[in-house]
Amino acid sequence: MNTIPFCLPKQITPEIFLRDYWQKQPLLIRQGLPQIVGMFEPQDIIELAQEEEVTARLIQTHQHNGEEKWQLKTSPLKAKDFKNLPEKWSVLVQNLEQWSPELGKLWQAFAFIPQWQRDDIMVSFAPKGGSVGKHYDEYDVFLVQGYGQRRWQLGKWCDPSTEFKANQPIRIFDEMGELILDEVMQPGDVLYVPSRLSHYGVAESDCLTFSFGLRYPNASDILENFCKALEHHSEQLNSSDFAIPFRLAPNLQNNGLLSPENIATLKQQLISLLQNSSQFDDLFSQAVATTVSTRRYNLLATEDEYYPEELQEALQQGDIIIQDANSKIIYTDNGNIFINGEWIDELNDTECQLLAYLADGNALDWQTLQQYVSQDIPLNLLLDSLCDWLDNGWLLLDTE
């Protein structure tokens, strides 16, 4: 069950959004996520940006000979970096759900998009006039105003041929074409911006904007993980099933030549093998699940330690267990579980079902836990597993 409703307007169902808006056109949702209001103030983000393990960027804008010049400093940031700043500047902090489980829970508002597409939550603080320039992103994003006001302009669609300004430390351009949206966002407002749509946000006052980013996997990452899976399972595979059949063309070719025709033939034979081998399908599924469950940022070590007796007591008193939004839990159709880039293959069927239940955004309470108890899987075994998963940082114990 989702404790936080979807951020969509009443007249737009998830099906309508996915059909008419997702990666097609932007959508402004007034008061789509009011739960974020009051969670953070600007000083919270400035202080967090100076923490040793935080990934942050400080962007400054200077005028030089009548032209804007941009300056970028990446973490680690120090208190001195925030002294004597120009009028226009911004600080951006990545992976904010690592530092705020309460913020991480707000991913539930976007649960109509599969979890495997989640990237991270970034926050941008800027004083009045601050901006990161006109740009586009290679990912879809829901921009949520958490504090103050920011004016957003959306313009042309971009592609890899779009030229950026030369000799600047960030990817920005001057021309956004005809504007299709020009609105000021208030705290609680949400703006969906599809991948590659140009956008430009300028702070109308001291403001915090939270970016819930969603990505597709990179082809090179999938291929890399596919090769790792192929190598890992090489001893179990029938090598004859993976041999690429090849016949030479009837015309004679030079003895030392690997011709374009040879390469094209091998390519087509490899594609045919990939399409018609169930073993390849299994390995490719594993490679994709490994790729999309991998987080871009390392997890912090958890300090809490959980014990079965204490966990049982907490659940009996009304606490619930939910997925920690800082971890990615993915399951495939055959029931395999992948967490943070690893296939968790030592689980029994009941444990897989339990993790899949939590990955779908459900909360586990004491009554629901009883449904997973059986003669083969007693309560003490499930409590042990839950304690391990809590210790690993996969799950959170929460007071409902």
Side-chain angles (χ1 to χ4, degrees):
M1 60 182 176
N2 279 328
T3 57
I4 296 175
F6 294 154
C7 69
L8 298 172
K10 291 182 179 179
Q11 70 275 17
I12 298 180
T13 65
E15 292 78 12
I16 292 174
F17 176 83
L18 294 171
R19 184 192 68 199
D20 297 340
Y21 293 91
W22 180 247
Q23 299 187 327
K24 294 177 182 177
Q25 60 175 315
L27 177 64
L28 177 60
I29 310 163
R30 294 294 186 186
Q31 291 305 295
L33 197 60
Q35 296 88 346
I36 204 169
V37 179
M39 273 194 175
F40 298 90
E41 295 188 355
Q43 192 59 33
D44 299 328
I45 302 306
I46 293 173
E47 292 175 359
L48 182 60
Q50 299 170 45
E51 293 288 337
E52 184 177 348
E53 295 180 281
V54 165
T55 301
R57 291 170 288 166
L58 178 62
I59 298 174
Q60 304 176 48
T61 311
H62 302 269
Q63 289 291 330
H64 181 71
N65 295 331
E67 184 180 353
E68 274 191 335
K69 291 292 183 181
W70 298 77
Q71 181 180 339
L72 171 66
K73 182 174 177 55
T74 58
S75 51
L77 299 177
K78 305 295 183 183
K80 64 179 181 180
D81 297 317
F82 292 89
K83 305 292 185 183
N84 303 316
L85 289 169
E87 181 181 354
K88 298 179 180 180
W89 60 277
S90 297
V91 62
L92 296 83
V93 176
Q94 301 284 162
N95 192 31
L96 200 62
E97 60 266 60
Q98 175 87 299
W99 306 95
S100 173
E102 291 74 23
L103 180 68
K105 293 175 188 176
L106 298 188
W107 270 119
Q108 295 175 21
F110 310 98
F112 48 90
I113 306 296
Q115 180 185 160
W116 63 262
Q117 291 183 237
R118 291 181 190 172
D119 189 19
D120 75 325
I121 304 173
M122 182 190 75
V123 62
S124 168
F125 165 69
K128 183 177 180 179
S131 172
V132 295
K134 301 171 183 176
H135 66 287
Y136 75 91
D137 298 311
E138 291 284 0
Y139 55 88
D140 296 85
V141 65
F142 288 90
L143 300 168
V144 183
Q145 197 64 24
Y147 182 97
Q149 295 79 32
R150 191 184 294 259
R151 178 185 180 187
W152 284 101
Q153 295 178 325
L154 308 183
K156 66 181 181 181
W157 290 92
C158 302
D159 58 44
S161 67
T162 301
E163 293 188 7
F164 295 98
K165 294 181 69 172
N167 303 317
Q168 298 287 2
I170 56 176
R171 302 195 319 166
I172 54 174
F173 43 70
D174 289 324
E175 180 55 48
M176 291 211 308
E178 182 179 354
L179 296 182
I180 61 173
L181 182 142
D182 189 348
E183 297 281 352
V184 175
M185 287 176 57
Q186 305 291 334
D189 290 347
V190 178
L191 175 62
Y192 166 64
V193 181
S195 171
R196 294 187 175 180
L197 182 64
S198 60
H199 49 285
Y200 179 44
V202 180
E204 296 277 296
S205 61
D206 287 3
C207 75
L208 296 174
T209 304
F210 297 81
S211 302
F212 290 72
L214 298 130
R215 292 180 185 266
Y216 281 100
N218 185 292
S220 62
D221 293 334
I222 294 178
L223 290 173
E224 180 182 353
N225 283 318
F226 179 75
C227 291
K228 289 179 180 178
L230 190 62
E231 180 180 2
H232 180 72
H233 294 281
S234 59
E235 293 183 2
Q236 291 81 38
L237 298 174
N238 187 341
S239 60
S240 62
D241 290 343
F242 289 81
I244 301 176
F246 182 76
R247 292 181 176 84
L248 285 171
N251 52 311
L252 187 66
Q253 69 182 51
N254 292 338
N255 188 253
L257 175 66
L258 174 64
S259 70
E261 292 78 14
N262 298 157
I263 295 172
T265 300
L266 285 167
K267 177 183 176 182
Q268 290 304 315
Q269 295 290 353
L270 178 59
I271 291 173
S272 177
L273 182 61
L274 289 169
Q275 289 178 332
N276 299 303
S277 168
S278 60
Q279 292 188 79
F280 262 112
D281 287 345
D282 292 341
L283 291 176
F284 187 73
S285 173
Q286 180 180 335
V288 172
T290 298
T291 303
V292 300
S293 65
T294 299
R295 288 184 45 79
R296 281 200 298 150
Y297 303 97
N298 293 329
L299 288 172
L300 293 176
T302 57
E303 297 180 356
D304 296 328
E305 227 178 316
Y306 292 87
Y307 299 94
E309 297 81 6
E310 296 174 359
L311 179 59
Q312 178 175 339
E313 183 180 352
L315 291 172
Q316 290 175 332
Q317 291 179 353
D319 286 0
I320 58 174
I321 294 175
I322 58 175
Q323 178 187 340
D324 189 333
N326 194 43
S327 287
K328 295 181 77 172
I329 304 177
I330 306 298
Y331 63 90
T332 55
D333 191 54
N334 60 5
N336 289 337
I337 302 288
F338 294 80
I339 302 179
N340 298 335
E342 294 187 16
W343 177 19
I344 314 300
D345 58 355
E346 73 275 10
L347 302 171
N348 59 51
D349 289 344
T350 300
E351 290 171 328
C352 289
Q353 294 168 16
L354 188 51
L355 281 169
Y357 176 81
L358 290 162
D360 281 337
N362 298 301
L364 181 69
D365 57 20
W366 176 247
Q367 182 177 0
T368 306
L369 178 61
Q370 307 310 303
Q371 301 173 18
Y372 291 89
V373 176
S374 67
Q375 185 174 354
D376 295 329
I377 311 294
L379 177 62
N380 65 312
L381 179 59
L382 287 179
L383 288 170
D384 283 340
S385 297
L386 287 167
C387 285
D388 288 341
W389 303 340
L390 286 161
D391 289 342
N392 290 340
W394 302 347
L395 308 178
L396 280 174
L397 182 63
D398 193 38
T399 301
E400 194 170 22

